[in-house]
Amino acid sequence: QVQLVESGGGSVQAGGSLRLSCAAASGTIFSIKTVGWYRQPTGKQRELVAQITRGGSTNYAEFVKGRFTISRDNAKKTGYLQMNSLKPEDTAVYYCNALLLAQDRGRVDEFDYWGQGTQVTVSS
C-alpha cells in the first residue's frame, strides 16, 4: 500500500532552519501530481503552507512567503519544504499531502495521501 513518509521535523530556535522531506514509499506509484505541505498548530485547524505541481508551479501561504521554499524530486518521488527564518508561530505539526497516480485499492487511479505528520517546534 502506498505511504507518504515524512522526516526532518524537530526543535529549533527562532531564526533557525529546518528541512522537511516527504517520500512516497511502497506500493506502485506511476507519477506524483501535486505535493502540498500543511500545518496544524495545537488547538487550531489545519492550514495550507505551500503546494507545488508536477510542472513546478508553486503556491505559498502569505505567512511563509519569502521564508519557506517547496520543491520536489520526481525521480526520487520526494517532496521537500525548506523552512528558514523560523518563528515561534511556525510551531505546529506539519503534514505532507500528495495526489498520486498509483495502483491501490485494486485499481489504477489518482489517490490523495497524507503523511503521518512531523512536529516542528520553534522556541524564542
Side-chain angles (χ1 to χ4, degrees), residues 32-34 52-58 72 74:
I32 301 175
K33 302 294 185 178
T34 302
I52 184 168
T53 67
R54 180 167 179 79
S57 297
T58 58
R72 58 190 288 167
N74 291 330

Side-chain angles (χ1 to χ4, degrees), residues 2-6 20-25 29 31-39 47-61 69-82 94-101 110-115:
V2 175
Q3 291 182 319
L4 297 182
V5 180
E6 297 182 38
L20 306 182
S21 298
C22 173
I29 301 165
S31 66
I32 301 175
K33 302 294 185 178
T34 302
V35 177
W37 289 94
Y38 292 73
R39 71 185 188 186
E47 57 189 1
L48 175 67
V49 175
Q51 282 183 323
I52 184 168
T53 67
R54 180 167 179 79
S57 297
T58 58
N59 175 43
Y60 293 95
T69 302
I70 189 171
S71 62
R72 58 190 288 167
D73 185 327
N74 291 330
K76 294 183 178 179
K77 299 177 183 174
T78 301
Y80 304 97
L81 185 67
Q82 178 67 44
Y94 283 71
Y95 297 90
C96 71
N97 171 262
L99 181 65
L100 308 180
L101 178 63
E110 290 186 350
F111 296 96
D112 190 69
Y113 296 95
W114 288 89

Side-chain angles (χ1 to χ4, degrees), residues 10-19 67-68 81-88 90 94 120-124:
S11 297
V12 66
Q13 289 191 328
S17 298
L18 286 172
R19 188 193 196 205
R67 300 189 298 124
F68 291 11
L81 185 67
Q82 178 67 44
M83 305 185 294
N84 298 329
S85 301
L86 283 161
K87 304 175 182 179
D90 294 319
Y94 283 71
V120 171
T121 302
V122 184
S123 58
S124 58

